[in-house]
Amino acid sequence: MRKHFISKALTLALLFCATTASAQGVYIYKNGKKQVFKSEEVDSLVFFSTADNSTPSVSDETFELPVADFTKTLSDLKPEEEARGFSVNQPNSTKLVLEKTADGQTYHWEYNGNGQGVYMYAKCLIASEKIDAFKAFLRKQGYELEVGASMNDDVKVYVNKTAKTVVYINKEGSRAEYFFGAYDESFTSWTRVSFLNDNTTATWLPFYGRGATVELMQLFEKRMNHKLNAEKSKPDNGVYVYDTGETRWPSVKYWFDVHTKNSLEEASIFVDVNNIPTPEQVTTYLKTSNHIYTGMNDSEGDVIYYNYDQKSACFVKMEDKTGGKTEYLPQMHYAYADLSKQLPPLTVDFPMPIVTFGTKTLEEITAEYRKQSYYKSEETIDLGIVINTTSEDFPKILLLEDGGKYCAAMVITFNNLTARSPYIVDLLQKNGYENAVGVSALPTFINKQNNVMVQFDLNDILQMGWFTISFQPNEF
């Protein structure tokens, strides 16, 4: 016998599940078998009758979507949207306001651009009663609910990976809106979906869209279910602080530009003083966003990690230098800044020396150096034989002897920053050298298989204007 209604018992059970704070989902029994629905997979729960063989459905409505070409300028889009029937107003160089009514739908959109006027995203008002119909429309257009992209039920995230666009549906009390932007998961993205979490340290990258607006930062923080700290925030100065509710990473802070107060420049994530990650953990995490350890410190003595392509720095402030005079606030501070002239070059031309020590004389080993692709010429000085190379970064290699045998090679640069290039460490590690922490006052790497060690003189110990990477038999 076909049932024409859901039993009162099932209804009460569903209501109980919906109102129980600890509920994570709903069990529905069909033919005696339990069906499981996770709460984050369900948009809404609809009760319906099957007496007339009908199936539940949301009204089949069609919506217009904003332009998805994020390479165009707002000036390009203005005549195009007017041709689509919109009245278009441009209050400033970074915004278009669009309005029209068509097929019973009222559209009020804002197209937002960056400082160069390039279209970045749209913010669109939508009637609260139209949200379910809009979600159904998105699904038909190839959008899928991104489970786990929001920890707040008032924000739903839909992604179309084919069209490379994302829609954030945001409920604000009795009103609703959606944000439409590029599906771009880079750390500089204005509309990044991923939180860029790190499983080891439990950290994440705060919203860090280059030059992005306050409202996008607020949307990101709302998705993470963080709470604005009104006491510490100073919106009039473009400064916002959020409490995360997390023990290890308790707060984040944002700085917007001083002129418009609406262009993101810097962000910090603060860590518990009693649970600071190790330098190795920080280095590994930051490398995922191509922020490379530079070996350099800022004016406050904090370690600098740098993304050379994006001109983005992360200042790791995790050493207590307060001396008890001020509050110690360990953090990772991200900032867009061109430090390329103050930091080591990302890549260098490094002539790898011959490391077969203790078996040949200097004359014999020099004959082998003449066969190297970087060999240019040679000269003899009091310390040994100098191989002049074709490398502009490391123009000389000094060959030393001990007991008549070739015992060491010093690869020489005249620029301290060149000697600090992260390329050299990567090259050594690819060739089997491991960082030997604590064995010497000089940075040391050891190849145990070949019994060779490398040491960096970054302070010109010989007082000859040389900064050297020295290869010799392992002493440790």
Side-chain angles (χ1 to χ4, degrees), residues 104-125:
Q105 299 282 0
T106 299
Y107 297 92
H108 182 94
W109 295 350
E110 293 179 357
Y111 283 4
N112 294 272
N114 61 15
Q116 292 72 48
V118 177
Y119 173 48
M120 300 297 287
Y121 72 97
K123 183 175 77 169
C124 311
L125 298 183

Side-chain angles (χ1 to χ4, degrees), residues 351-354 361-381 383-400 406 408-414 466:
M352 185 68 77
I354 298 170
T361 65
L362 279 190
E363 290 73 19
E364 291 172 333
I365 208 69
T366 299
E368 292 192 19
Y369 270 98
R370 294 184 190 123
K371 301 174 185 177
Q372 301 301 309
S373 60
Y374 54 75
Y375 176 86
K376 185 177 180 181
S377 63
E378 63 193 69
E379 56 187 299
T380 301
I381 64 174
L383 293 175
I385 294 178
V386 173
I387 302 296
N388 296 309
T389 79
T390 57
S391 170
E392 293 183 1
D393 300 313
F394 292 88
K396 296 180 181 294
I397 303 175
L398 175 61
L399 312 182
L400 304 177
Y406 170 54
M410 300 172 66
V411 185
I412 300 167
T413 180
F414 307 115
W466 293 355

Side-chain angles (χ1 to χ4, degrees), residues 22 51 54 77 104 134 155 181 204 209 266 278 281 308 310 320 327 330 347 360 366:
S22 61
S54 63
L77 294 176
F134 183 59
V155 183
W204 64 92
E266 303 179 31
T278 66
Q281 290 173 335
Y308 288 78
Q310 297 296 334
D320 188 358
E327 184 180 5
T347 60
K360 296 182 179 181
T366 299

Side-chain angles (χ1 to χ4, degrees), residues 141-177:
Q141 301 303 308
Y143 288 83
E144 295 183 3
L145 178 67
E146 194 75 6
V147 178
S150 178
M151 303 177 194
N152 189 319
D153 285 339
D154 285 339
V155 183
K156 297 296 182 184
V157 183
Y158 285 82
V159 172
N160 187 323
K161 294 183 179 179
T162 301
K164 293 183 171 28
T165 50
V166 58
V167 175
Y168 297 93
I169 301 174
N170 179 41
K171 291 180 66 177
E172 289 280 1
S174 60
R175 59 183 288 272
E177 62 193 8

Side-chain angles (χ1 to χ4, degrees), residues 64-327:
E64 286 191 59
L65 289 175
V67 172
D69 188 345
F70 300 100
T71 64
K72 292 189 174 182
T73 65
L74 297 182
S75 298
D76 294 332
L77 294 176
K78 185 176 180 180
E80 293 181 10
E81 293 303 80
E82 287 174 336
R84 271 216 288 175
F86 284 93
S87 65
V88 182
N89 176 40
Q90 186 165 11
N92 56 57
S93 62
T94 62
K95 190 182 292 291
L96 293 180
V97 178
L98 300 82
E99 293 182 323
K100 81 170 180 179
T101 299
D103 300 324
Q105 299 282 0
T106 299
Y107 297 92
H108 182 94
W109 295 350
E110 293 179 357
Y111 283 4
N112 294 272
N114 61 15
Q116 292 72 48
V118 177
Y119 173 48
M120 300 297 287
Y121 72 97
K123 183 175 77 169
C124 311
L125 298 183
I126 185 170
S128 296
E129 65 271 15
K130 296 283 187 179
I131 289 179
D132 286 341
F134 183 59
K135 290 176 179 177
F137 168 76
L138 289 177
R139 287 191 288 268
K140 288 182 179 179
Q141 301 303 308
Y143 288 83
E144 295 183 3
L145 178 67
E146 194 75 6
V147 178
S150 178
M151 303 177 194
N152 189 319
D153 285 339
D154 285 339
V155 183
K156 297 296 182 184
V157 183
Y158 285 82
V159 172
N160 187 323
K161 294 183 179 179
T162 301
K164 293 183 171 28
T165 50
V166 58
V167 175
Y168 297 93
I169 301 174
N170 179 41
K171 291 180 66 177
E172 289 280 1
S174 60
R175 59 183 288 272
E177 62 193 8
Y178 70 87
F179 294 81
F180 180 87
Y183 178 57
D184 176 3
E185 294 295 71
S186 64
F187 72 86
T188 62
S189 169
W190 287 33
T191 47
R192 166 167 57 98
V193 173
S194 169
F195 298 131
L196 298 182
N197 305 73
D198 176 52
N199 293 331
T200 301
T201 63
T203 190
W204 64 92
L205 182 65
F207 183 69
Y208 193 42
R210 183 195 299 270
T213 58
V214 170
E215 64 185 7
L216 287 184
M217 175 276 293
Q218 292 170 330
L219 179 69
F220 184 93
E221 288 298 307
K222 184 175 181 179
R223 279 199 291 136
M224 295 205 75
N225 218 19
H226 297 165
K227 305 303 178 186
L228 180 70
N229 187 314
E231 183 179 349
K232 293 182 179 179
S233 297
K234 297 182 179 357
D236 290 343
N237 295 329
V239 177
Y240 298 81
V241 177
Y242 284 83
D243 297 324
T244 68
E246 300 286 340
T247 301
R248 189 172 195 184
W249 303 93
S251 63
V252 292
K253 187 174 184 178
Y254 296 97
W255 290 262
F256 289 78
D257 73 301
V258 297
H259 300 294
T260 70
K261 312 295 190 299
N262 198 37
S263 177
L264 181 64
E265 293 183 339
E266 303 179 31
S268 269
I269 179 166
F270 295 83
V271 64
D272 175 25
V273 296
N274 298 311
N275 200 4
I276 295 174
T278 66
E280 291 77 17
Q281 290 173 335
V282 169
T283 299
T284 299
Y285 173 64
L286 289 177
K287 199 169 185 178
T288 62
S289 58
N290 211 25
H291 284 86
I292 306 300
Y293 174 74
T294 66
M296 302 292 288
N297 299 83
D298 65 7
S299 59
E300 298 178 358
D302 299 315
V303 181
I304 302 174
Y305 291 76
Y306 196 62
N307 183 306
Y308 288 78
D309 293 331
Q310 297 296 334
K311 303 293 186 291
S312 167
C314 181
F315 303 92
V316 177
K317 301 172 177 289
M318 295 189 184
E319 183 180 343
D320 188 358
K321 307 183 191 70
T322 64
K325 297 178 181 179
T326 58
E327 184 180 5

